[in-house]
Amino acid sequence: MTGLIVNHQVPRSPVIHDQPGICFSLSWLVMVVDLSLCLSCRFQSKNYQYALALVFAIEEINKNPHLLPNMTLGFGLYNVMHSPMTVMENPFIWLAGLEKHVPNYTCRKQSKSVAVISESSTAVQMGTLLELYKIPQLTLGPFEPLLSDSGQFPSLYQMTPKDTSLTHGMVSLMLHFSWTWVGLAISDLPKGIQFMSDLKAEMQKNGICVDFVELIPATLESLSSLQNSAHIQIIKSSANVEILFCVTESLIGASFQSWEQLMTWKVWVTTSQWDFASSEKPFLLYSFHGTLIFSNHHSEISGFKNFLQTANPSKYPEDSYFSKLWSLAFNCSVTGASCKTLQNCPLNASLESLPPHYFDMSMSDGSYNIYNAVYAVAHSVHEMLLQELEMQPVNKCDAFFQLHPFLKNLQFTNPAGDLVNLNHKRNLEAEYDILNFWNFPYGYGRKVKVGWFSPYVSHGQQLSLSENLIEWATGITETPRSVCSVSCSPGFRKTPLEGKPACCFDCTLCPENEISNQTDMDQCVNCPDLQYANTERDQCFHKKVTFLSFEDPLGMTLVCTALCFSVLTVVFLGVFVKHRDTPIVKANNRCLSYILLIALIFCFLCSLLFIGHPNTTTCVLQQTTFGVVFTLAVSTVLAKTITVLLAFKVTVPGRRMRQWLLSGVPNSIIPICSLIQLALCGIWLGTSPPFIDTDAHSEHGHIILVCNKGSVTAFYCVLGYLGSLALASFTVAFLARNLPDKFNEAKFLTFSMLVFCSVWVTFLPVYQSTKGKVMVAVEVFSILCSSAGLLGCIFVPKCYIILFRPEKNALKGLRDRIVSKETDVLKCSS
């Protein structure tokens, strides 16, 4: 508990009260600060920097001719214990001026102090008492939302900026290192609970999961029952990063000091409120070496380090705490009744020579806020005195009340250049320095700045880290990882595990034609229609345009086959023309044979329209040419079968049949059937003609150019009509298969139609089940097979007789055999 004394004469020496607490006192303004973080009776040497920061600020103001000229500040020092039973003791002593607690009475001979500096935790407890007297109370931190309630604490002012950006800063640090699996050890006080709630909400928004939450109690009575379970939980946790948050009065520090040898593989992230490095035991280094600490950013106070270097007990002889610190630090002997006389001290003893864990020469957050608090009170008193000169004298009994209007709206720039604002409505969010706990010097610790976080810059630049400066825990040679599940690489997606947090998942390969081009994607995305996914499922490539080309092995095979059969058909035609006067050619109606051979040549050649780069012309000609030339061929076969049948009938009833045969009725079937097919094709082309289309799905990685048939109904009508002609030809040929004629080709026509029908009946289901180039190849193959069936079954036997068995191609004995066969047939019929 600290008070500042305004004195119009000469600087006063510190008034030291060797009570269980610390208080700074002024004659007209009092600033009370909680300087003791002691959880036992051990002297906390590092906390004494608070007192020295107060002294430094007062001396600096007293030397300033422009701030409170002709006026001197002084102070008194009290110790305040972290105990509910004793925390109010020294405030009563300070107010009453007596060892006995006598409310509403004061026996002080000095001028009344006008302001109090304290820690936030102490201010919560003392605030109600001090509010009765309207005493201005300034807190050195940490920021406490409860104290911002002007209705409950109208006389309280917080020097620390708002810490609402702390959770954002910690989450930004997690994201920077890709730490998505962390544990939380939080004090169970209201501020800790609020911090945990805000942190978990921010983590959830950014995809960071919490492995466990341990609430560390604030009282020794609760600590013993939960300590073992908390230790076991943290040790067993798979999270390698732990966030520790405590307020000043929590017992996290006392709890953690018993497990130092078990924590060497963890990365700790905490705030400067828990000063674990202040322990005099160097073994804590091995547990918390590499810890990352969020500390409020502040500029360096010029002259403070030099002040600490020159400070010693002889300079402040009335300060018993300074003497105690010196004797403990340098093993000096203490003499004298007041225990303030030191002997046998090293000649070069100074605070700078002490190890950092014992006394840190860098100004702490609390010391910086005390420095600002002293200046805030000084500026307010200065403004109040100026108003007194302009308006009316200030009633010293009402000094507390007179100071509030100036403090409430106070805003000034301190000697370091930082803006200080006491209006909680305009209080800015805190900026943070990120410190790293180094093992330097060896066996002790030093906090080194490795980065910063500011909520006032653009979103992607709020965090800045120098990773090359970070020292991780002992044995860790690279940036630690803390994840529940290993990241899913591109090409995989996350599959949540039932009953587990979102950060725990399995990795599943993306389905075909879907990709994930980033790590840890929740869903795979489809490639566009004109692109395809590679085998790794992490990129989409443009599909290659392809078709059944002449250079393609399949296309080349089909082209060669079509050309070979076409040449063979031409050869057969040549043979028939050359031997046109032989009995076998004459007997089988050489005119129809010529038409059939020419039609087969076009049947083989029309298959070439299906091969090569499709265009509008080829797409239109493919199906129409196929339909017309095959109709021509099949109708010719039908005419030949009818001719065979009528030729036999001539020999029996005779005349009428002979007249039909001689009149050329069978030959008229060819143009009639062909015209019907041409009419169907014309309707097809007039309503929904074929067109060029693309097939992007049949073949992986390719876009196939195909001819879309336009009207599937018209296509099957053409095929159906062609099939009906083939069925009619097969029926007539089957009826004429046993007629008595040496050169009767009815059997060959029957078998050829059987092959033809079999090919196209098989074609339909196969054609429906294929896509892309294979579909085209199936149709070409069916064209070639059916054409080859007609050619082989009808003309190969005849050419064999003409070329290799010419003795059978003669009329000798033909009539006798025909007559005998006709007689047998007549007998059977009678």
Side-chain angles (χ1 to χ4, degrees):
M1 186 179 196
T2 308
L4 288 184
I5 304 171
V6 177
N7 195 318
H8 290 272
Q9 299 176 357
V10 295
R12 296 175 56 89
S13 299
V15 180
I16 306 300
H17 300 270
D18 193 9
Q19 301 295 333
I22 300 175
C23 180
F24 307 151
S25 181
L26 298 178
S27 62
W28 274 15
L29 55 144
V30 174
M31 291 185 285
V32 179
V33 61
D34 177 12
L35 300 179
S36 176
L37 306 180
C38 187
L39 298 176
S40 65
C41 296
R42 186 175 67 247
F43 181 72
Q44 298 291 311
S45 58
K46 291 195 69 172
N47 297 336
Y48 191 70
Q49 190 190 92
Y50 291 167
L52 294 178
L54 176 72
V55 174
F56 172 73
I58 291 175
E59 291 183 357
E60 194 174 67
I61 292 173
N62 287 340
K63 293 176 184 178
N64 189 343
H66 304 291
L67 184 61
L68 294 178
N70 300 322
M71 189 171 292
T72 304
L73 302 182
F75 67 93
L77 186 64
Y78 291 86
N79 188 30
V80 178
M81 301 293 290
H82 277 282
S83 170
M85 299 180 63
T86 60
V87 70
M88 301 299 293
E89 180 178 356
N90 279 339
F92 274 116
I93 294 176
W94 166 66
L95 288 170
L98 297 171
E99 295 295 331
K100 295 181 180 180
H101 306 160
V102 184
N104 297 323
Y105 284 90
T106 178
C107 298
R108 288 184 180 275
K109 297 179 181 179
Q110 308 170 10
S111 300
K112 179 184 274 189
S113 300
V114 294
V116 173
I117 301 174
S118 70
E119 272 194 319
S120 300
S121 57
T122 308
V124 173
Q125 301 174 16
M126 295 192 311
T128 304
L129 172 64
L130 299 179
E131 188 61 38
L132 295 175
Y133 302 95
K134 304 299 181 182
I135 300 175
Q137 187 175 2
L138 293 86
T139 65
L140 61 92
F143 185 84
E144 178 60 59
L146 176 64
L147 299 179
S148 297
D149 184 1
S150 57
Q152 186 175 356
F153 300 100
S155 303
L156 190 143
Y157 309 91
Q158 299 196 68
M159 302 306 301
T160 306
K162 295 178 181 178
D163 58 1
T164 51
S165 62
L166 177 60
T167 56
H168 188 191
M170 287 189 170
V171 170
S172 298
L173 181 69
M174 302 295 114
L175 296 175
H176 178 83
F177 289 113
S178 299
W179 293 335
T180 59
W181 189 239
V182 299
L184 303 181
I186 309 291
S187 66
D188 64 352
L189 295 173
K191 182 173 177 61
I193 300 299
Q194 182 62 47
F195 171 81
M196 179 186 68
S197 176
D198 295 342
L199 180 63
K200 291 177 71 175
E202 188 70 22
M203 291 169 67
Q204 185 175 9
K205 287 193 301 182
N206 290 275
I208 301 174
C209 301
V210 177
D211 182 22
F212 67 89
V213 176
E214 283 295 336
L215 296 177
I216 308 300
T219 61
L220 287 171
E221 292 78 7
S222 305
L223 178 65
S224 57
S225 61
L226 294 176
Q227 186 171 3
N228 290 335
S229 62
H231 292 185
I232 294 173
Q233 175 63 54
I234 295 177
I235 293 171
K236 292 176 63 177
S237 169
S238 59
N240 293 325
V241 175
E242 317 291 342
I243 295 178
L244 306 179
F245 181 83
C246 66
V247 292
T248 307
E249 67 270 29
S250 69
L251 297 179
I252 287 184
S255 172
F256 275 50
Q257 288 186 23
S258 62
W259 12 322
E260 71 288 337
Q261 72 276 13
L262 299 175
M263 295 291 108
T264 55
W265 64 89
K266 300 285 186 181
V267 176
W268 307 93
V269 179
T270 185
T271 65
S272 59
Q273 297 170 26
W274 178 38
D275 194 2
F276 57 85
S278 64
S279 172
E280 299 178 13
K281 297 181 179 181
F283 64 70
L284 272 178
L285 168 68
Y286 302 108
S287 293
F288 302 103
H289 174 206
T291 297
L292 297 172
I293 307 161
F294 279 77
S295 175
N296 284 349
H297 170 75
H298 56 78
S299 301
E300 184 177 353
I301 302 297
S302 176
F304 182 68
K305 188 173 183 180
N306 182 66
F307 170 79
L308 294 180
Q309 291 171 342
T310 58
N312 56 67
S314 61
K315 189 175 180 180
Y316 304 102
E318 295 185 10
D319 189 347
S320 60
Y321 281 99
F322 208 173
S323 299
K324 184 176 182 180
L325 167 65
W326 211 262
S327 64
L328 293 174
F330 300 106
N331 294 321
C332 303
S333 57
V334 181
T335 59
S338 62
C339 297
K340 298 179 182 178
T341 304
L342 301 177
Q343 295 180 349
N344 302 322
C345 294
L347 297 178
N348 59 347
S350 67
L351 294 176
E352 187 178 22
S353 63
L354 295 176
H357 75 272
Y358 198 89
F359 191 91
D360 195 347
M361 296 292 289
S362 300
M363 178 174 273
S364 65
D365 293 347
S367 297
Y368 179 77
N369 291 329
I370 289 174
Y371 178 83
N372 285 336
V374 174
Y375 266 90
V377 175
H379 278 287
S380 299
V381 173
H382 185 86
E383 293 295 327
M384 183 178 67
L385 294 178
L386 288 178
Q387 189 182 74
E388 173 189 353
L389 294 175
E390 295 177 359
M391 299 177 61
Q392 56 184 0
V394 176
N395 185 348
K396 293 186 179 181
C397 295
D398 296 331
F400 295 136
F401 303 97
Q402 296 289 335
L403 200 58
H404 281 302
F406 301 96
L407 285 172
K408 287 184 182 296
N409 298 305
L410 182 63
Q411 180 174 301
F412 66 94
T413 302
N414 67 11
D418 292 342
L419 180 66
V420 180
N421 186 2
L422 267 65
N423 189 333
H424 71 276
K425 294 182 179 179
R426 294 181 296 173
N427 197 358
L428 302 177
E429 292 186 357
E431 297 180 284
Y432 293 95
D433 292 331
I434 300 176
L435 311 179
N436 183 222
F437 191 40
W438 279 17
N439 182 16
F440 182 84
Y442 182 78
Y444 300 101
R446 172 171 296 181
K447 290 177 284 187
V448 178
K449 181 178 177 179
V450 295
W452 51 265
F453 175 81
S454 174
Y456 302 110
V457 297
S458 58
H459 183 72
Q461 300 177 343
Q462 291 179 329
L463 178 71
S464 176
L465 278 177
S466 299
E467 292 189 42
N468 59 313
L469 296 179
I470 298 178
E471 276 192 9
W472 299 111
T474 304
I476 300 178
T477 57
E478 58 184 16
T479 302
R481 300 184 62 188
S482 185
V483 295
C484 180
S485 299
V486 179
S487 295
C488 292
S489 59
F492 293 82
R493 65 176 178 86
K494 296 194 297 185
T495 303
L497 297 177
E498 187 176 356
K500 296 287 186 179
C503 298
C504 303
F505 48 82
D506 285 332
C507 296
T508 305
L509 183 67
C510 289
E512 187 175 358
N513 210 43
E514 293 186 13
I515 66 163
S516 62
N517 54 9
Q518 298 178 3
T519 57
D520 290 339
M521 288 189 66
D522 294 321
Q523 296 292 335
C524 301
V525 295
N526 286 308
C527 288
D529 286 341
L530 300 182
Q531 297 181 3
Y532 70 98
N534 59 353
T535 54
E536 289 79 15
R537 306 287 202 276
D538 59 359
Q539 282 184 299
C540 288
F541 293 117
H542 286 284
K543 293 181 177 180
K544 181 181 179 181
V545 177
T546 185
F547 48 86
L548 186 60
S549 65
F550 294 102
E551 293 80 13
D552 189 279
L554 180 58
M556 189 178 297
T557 301
L558 294 174
V559 168
C560 292
T561 303
L563 293 177
C564 289
F565 277 113
S566 299
V567 172
L568 183 61
T569 307
V570 172
V571 171
F572 285 179
L573 179 60
V575 171
F576 267 63
V577 172
K578 183 177 179 180
H579 300 85
R580 59 184 177 275
D581 295 326
T582 59
I584 196 170
V585 175
K586 290 181 177 181
N588 290 283
N589 198 330
R590 60 187 174 189
C591 183
L592 292 178
S593 297
Y594 295 158
I595 295 174
L596 181 56
L597 285 170
I598 294 172
L600 290 176
I601 292 173
F602 284 105
C603 287
F604 286 121
L605 293 179
C606 78
S607 64
L608 301 180
L609 294 172
F610 294 84
I611 304 173
H613 195 295
N615 55 61
T616 305
T617 303
T618 56
C619 286
V620 170
L621 291 178
Q622 278 180 5
Q623 305 301 337
T624 56
T625 303
F626 156 72
V628 171
V629 297
F630 264 81
T631 300
L632 178 62
V634 175
S635 61
T636 303
V637 174
L638 178 59
K640 287 176 71 69
T641 55
I642 293 175
T643 301
V644 172
L645 186 62
L646 290 179
F648 174 73
K649 293 294 184 180
V650 169
T651 63
V652 186
R655 295 197 175 189
R656 183 173 296 179
M657 293 296 179
R658 183 178 180 83
Q659 289 177 356
W660 287 358
L661 186 61
L662 294 175
S663 63
V665 173
N667 294 342
S668 63
I669 294 176
I670 299 173
I672 293 173
C673 294
S674 300
L675 287 173
I676 295 174
Q677 186 69 286
L678 280 172
L680 291 175
C681 291
I683 296 173
W684 182 4
L685 296 179
T687 55
S688 180
F691 58 89
I692 300 176
D693 198 4
T694 57
D695 181 2
H697 306 288
S698 298
E699 190 172 338
H700 181 72
H702 293 84
I703 299 175
I704 303 173
L705 294 180
V706 295
C707 288
N708 191 302
K709 293 176 178 55
S711 174
V712 178
T713 303
F715 172 69
Y716 284 111
C717 285
V718 170
L719 282 184
Y721 176 70
L722 186 60
S724 64
L725 288 180
L727 184 60
S729 299
F730 172 75
T731 303
V732 175
F734 182 78
L735 295 175
R737 71 188 186 284
N738 291 322
L739 294 180
D741 190 351
K742 179 179 180 181
F743 301 113
N744 181 15
E745 62 177 349
K747 292 181 179 179
F748 300 117
L749 294 175
T750 303
F751 190 70
S752 67
M753 285 296 99
L754 180 62
V755 172
F756 185 90
C757 293
S758 299
V759 169
W760 288 104
V761 168
T762 307
F763 161 80
L764 291 175
V766 176
Y767 185 79
Q768 291 294 331
S769 62
T770 56
K771 298 291 183 182
K773 292 194 297 183
V774 179
M775 176 185 283
V776 179
V778 166
E779 188 169 358
V780 173
F781 181 77
S782 299
I783 292 173
L784 295 178
C785 286
S786 58
S787 301
L790 294 178
L791 180 66
C793 294
I794 297 174
F795 294 101
V796 169
K798 297 178 178 61
C799 289
Y800 175 77
I801 294 174
I802 293 172
L803 297 177
F804 301 104
R805 302 293 296 273
E807 69 277 5
K808 291 186 176 183
N809 189 12
L811 293 175
K812 183 180 179 180
L814 179 60
R815 288 184 184 276
D816 296 336
R817 288 193 296 271
I818 293 176
V819 171
S820 64
K821 289 184 179 180
E822 290 177 353
T823 302
D824 293 338
V825 172
L826 290 173
K827 288 181 178 180
C828 291
S829 62
S830 63

